[in-house]
Coordinates of all heavy atoms in Angstrom, one line a residue:
T96 N 0.9 -1.2 0.0 CA 0.0 0.0 0.0 C 0.9 1.2 0.0 O 1.3 1.8 1.0 CB -0.9 0.0 1.2 OG1 -1.6 -1.3 1.3 CG2 -2.0 1.1 1.1
S97 N 1.2 1.7 -1.2 CA 2.3 2.7 -1.3 C 1.8 4.0 -0.7 O 2.7 4.7 0.0 CB 2.6 3.0 -2.8 OG 3.1 1.8 -3.4
Q98 N 0.6 4.4 -0.7 CA 0.2 5.7 -0.2 C 0.2 5.8 1.3 O 0.1 6.8 1.9 CB -1.2 6.1 -0.7 CG -2.4 5.2 -0.4 CD -3.7 5.7 -0.9 OE1 -4.1 6.8 -0.7 NE2 -4.4 4.8 -1.6
A99 N 0.3 4.6 2.0 CA 0.4 4.6 3.4 C 1.8 5.0 3.9 O 2.0 5.2 5.1 CB 0.1 3.2 3.9
F100 N 2.8 5.1 3.0 CA 4.1 5.5 3.3 C 4.5 6.8 2.6 O 4.8 6.8 1.4 CB 5.1 4.3 2.9 CG 4.8 3.1 3.6 CD1 3.9 2.1 3.1 CD2 5.3 2.8 4.9 CE1 3.6 1.0 3.7 CE2 5.0 1.6 5.6 CZ 4.1 0.7 5.0
R101 N 4.5 7.8 3.4 CA 4.9 9.2 2.9 C 5.3 10.1 4.1 O 5.1 9.7 5.2 CB 3.7 9.8 2.2 CG 2.5 10.0 3.1 CD 1.5 10.9 2.4 NE 0.7 10.2 1.3 CZ -0.2 10.8 0.6 NH1 -0.5 12.1 0.9 NH2 -0.8 10.2 -0.3
Q102 N 5.9 11.2 3.7 CA 6.3 12.1 4.8 C 5.1 12.8 5.3 O 4.4 13.5 4.6 CB 7.3 13.1 4.3 CG 7.9 14.0 5.4 CD 9.1 14.8 5.0 OE1 9.6 14.7 3.8 NE2 9.7 15.5 5.9
T103 N 4.8 12.6 6.6 CA 3.6 13.2 7.2 C 4.1 14.3 8.3 O 5.2 14.4 8.6 CB 2.8 12.2 7.9 OG1 3.6 11.6 9.0 CG2 2.4 11.1 7.0
R104 N 3.0 15.0 8.7 CA 3.3 16.0 9.8 C 3.8 15.4 11.1 O 4.7 15.8 11.7 CB 2.0 16.8 10.0 CG 2.2 18.2 10.7 CD 0.9 18.9 10.9 NE 0.2 19.0 9.6 CZ -1.1 19.1 9.5 NH1 -1.9 19.1 10.6 NH2 -1.7 19.2 8.3
A105 N 3.1 14.2 11.4 CA 3.5 13.6 12.6 C 4.9 13.0 12.6 O 5.7 13.1 13.5 CB 2.6 12.4 12.9
F106 N 5.3 12.5 11.4 CA 6.7 11.9 11.2 C 7.7 13.1 11.3 O 8.7 13.0 12.1 CB 6.8 11.3 9.8 CG 8.1 10.9 9.4 CD1 8.6 9.6 9.7 CD2 9.0 11.8 8.7 CE1 9.9 9.2 9.3 CE2 10.2 11.4 8.3 CZ 10.7 10.1 8.6
T107 N 7.4 14.2 10.7 CA 8.4 15.3 10.6 C 8.5 16.0 12.0 O 9.7 16.3 12.4 CB 8.0 16.3 9.6 OG1 7.8 15.6 8.3 CG2 9.0 17.4 9.4
T108 N 7.4 16.2 12.7 CA 7.5 16.9 13.9 C 8.2 16.0 15.0 O 8.9 16.5 15.9 CB 6.1 17.3 14.5 OG1 5.3 16.2 14.5 CG2 5.5 18.4 13.6
T109 N 8.0 14.7 14.9 CA 8.7 13.8 15.8 C 10.2 13.7 15.6 O 11.0 13.8 16.5 CB 8.1 12.4 15.7 OG1 6.7 12.4 15.9 CG2 8.7 11.4 16.7
V110 N 10.6 13.7 14.3 CA 12.0 13.7 14.0 C 12.6 15.0 14.4 O 13.7 15.0 15.1 CB 12.2 13.5 12.5 CG1 13.6 13.8 12.1 CG2 11.8 12.1 12.0
L111 N 12.0 16.1 14.2 CA 12.5 17.4 14.6 C 12.6 17.5 16.1 O 13.6 18.0 16.6 CB 11.6 18.6 14.1 CG 11.7 18.8 12.5 CD1 10.7 19.9 12.1 CD2 13.1 19.3 12.1
G112 N 11.6 17.1 16.8 CA 11.7 17.1 18.3 C 12.8 16.2 18.8 O 13.5 16.6 19.7
N113 N 13.0 15.0 18.3 CA 14.1 14.2 18.7 C 15.4 14.8 18.4 O 16.4 14.6 19.2 CB 13.9 12.8 18.1 CG 12.7 12.0 18.7 OD1 12.1 12.5 19.6 ND2 12.5 10.8 18.2
L114 N 15.5 15.4 17.2 CA 16.8 16.0 16.8 C 17.1 17.2 17.7 O 18.3 17.4 18.1 CB 16.7 16.5 15.4 CG 16.9 15.4 14.3 CD1 16.6 16.0 12.9 CD2 18.3 14.9 14.3
L115 N 16.2 18.0 18.1 CA 16.4 19.2 18.9 C 16.8 18.8 20.3 O 17.5 19.6 21.0 CB 15.2 20.1 18.9 CG 14.9 20.8 17.6 CD1 13.5 21.5 17.6 CD2 16.0 21.8 17.2
A116 N 16.4 17.7 20.8 CA 16.8 17.2 22.1 C 18.1 16.6 22.0 O 18.3 15.4 22.4 CB 15.7 16.2 22.6
F117 N 19.1 17.3 21.6 CA 20.5 16.8 21.3 C 21.2 16.3 22.5 O 22.1 15.5 22.5 CB 21.3 17.8 20.5 CG 21.5 19.1 21.3 CD1 22.5 19.3 22.2 CD2 20.6 20.2 21.0 CE1 22.6 20.5 22.9 CE2 20.7 21.4 21.7 CZ 21.8 21.5 22.7
W118 N 20.8 16.9 23.7 CA 21.4 16.5 24.9 C 21.0 15.1 25.4 O 21.5 14.6 26.4 CB 21.1 17.5 26.0 CG 19.7 17.6 26.3 CD1 19.0 16.9 27.2 CD2 18.7 18.4 25.6 NE1 17.6 17.2 27.2 CE2 17.4 18.2 26.2 CE3 18.8 19.4 24.6 CZ2 16.3 18.8 25.8 CZ3 17.6 20.0 24.2 CH2 16.4 19.7 24.8
N119 N 19.9 14.6 24.8 CA 19.3 13.4 25.3 C 19.5 12.2 24.4 O 18.6 11.7 23.7 CB 17.8 13.6 25.5 CG 17.1 12.5 26.3 OD1 17.8 11.7 27.0 ND2 15.8 12.5 26.3
R120 N 20.8 11.9 24.2 CA 21.2 10.8 23.3 C 21.7 9.6 24.0 O 22.3 9.7 25.1 CB 22.3 11.2 22.3 CG 21.9 12.4 21.4 CD 21.0 11.8 20.2 NE 20.7 12.9 19.3 CZ 19.6 13.7 19.4 NH1 18.8 13.6 20.4 NH2 19.4 14.7 18.5
E121 N 21.4 8.4 23.5 CA 21.8 7.2 24.1 C 22.6 6.3 23.2 O 22.3 6.2 22.0 CB 20.6 6.4 24.7 CG 19.9 7.1 25.8 CD 18.8 6.2 26.3 OE1 17.9 5.8 25.5 OE2 18.8 6.0 27.6
R122 N 23.6 5.6 23.7 CA 24.2 4.5 23.0 C 23.6 3.2 23.4 O 23.6 2.9 24.6 CB 25.7 4.5 23.2 CG 26.5 5.7 22.7 CD 28.0 5.4 22.6 NE 28.5 4.9 23.8 CZ 29.7 4.2 23.9 NH1 30.4 4.0 22.8 NH2 30.1 3.7 25.0
V123 N 23.1 2.4 22.5 CA 22.4 1.2 22.8 C 23.4 0.0 22.5 O 23.8 -0.2 21.4 CB 21.1 1.0 22.0 CG1 20.4 -0.3 22.3 CG2 20.2 2.2 22.2
G124 N 23.8 -0.7 23.6 CA 24.7 -1.8 23.4 C 24.1 -3.0 22.8 O 23.1 -3.5 23.4
V125 N 24.7 -3.6 21.8 CA 24.2 -4.8 21.2 C 25.4 -5.8 21.3 O 26.4 -5.6 20.6 CB 23.8 -4.6 19.7 CG1 23.4 -6.0 19.1 CG2 22.7 -3.6 19.6
E126 N 25.2 -6.8 22.1 CA 26.3 -7.8 22.3 C 26.4 -8.8 21.1 O 25.4 -9.3 20.7 CB 26.1 -8.5 23.6 CG 27.3 -9.5 23.9 CD 27.1 -10.2 25.2 OE1 26.1 -10.0 25.8 OE2 28.1 -10.9 25.6
L127 N 27.6 -8.9 20.5 CA 27.8 -9.8 19.4 C 28.2 -11.2 20.0 O 29.1 -11.3 20.9 CB 28.9 -9.3 18.5 CG 28.7 -8.0 17.9 CD1 29.9 -7.6 17.0 CD2 27.5 -7.9 17.0

């Protein structure tokens, strides 16, 4: 369903909000 995948307002505002919170970053450890 191609039209279900597009840039939306919710997608963009969430990305912008997460980017602006630059002090709140985590490293997620994945054990090999």
Side-chain angles (χ1 to χ4, degrees):
T96 309
S97 297
Q98 62 179 307
F100 297 91
R101 59 167 74 180
Q102 186 165 2
T103 64
R104 198 179 308 154
F106 174 90
T107 307
T108 54
T109 302
V110 169
L111 288 174
N113 288 358
L114 281 172
L115 289 172
F117 58 86
W118 63 90
N119 194 14
R120 295 285 184 271
E121 294 185 305
R122 294 198 310 160
V123 178
V125 180
E126 184 176 5
L127 302 179

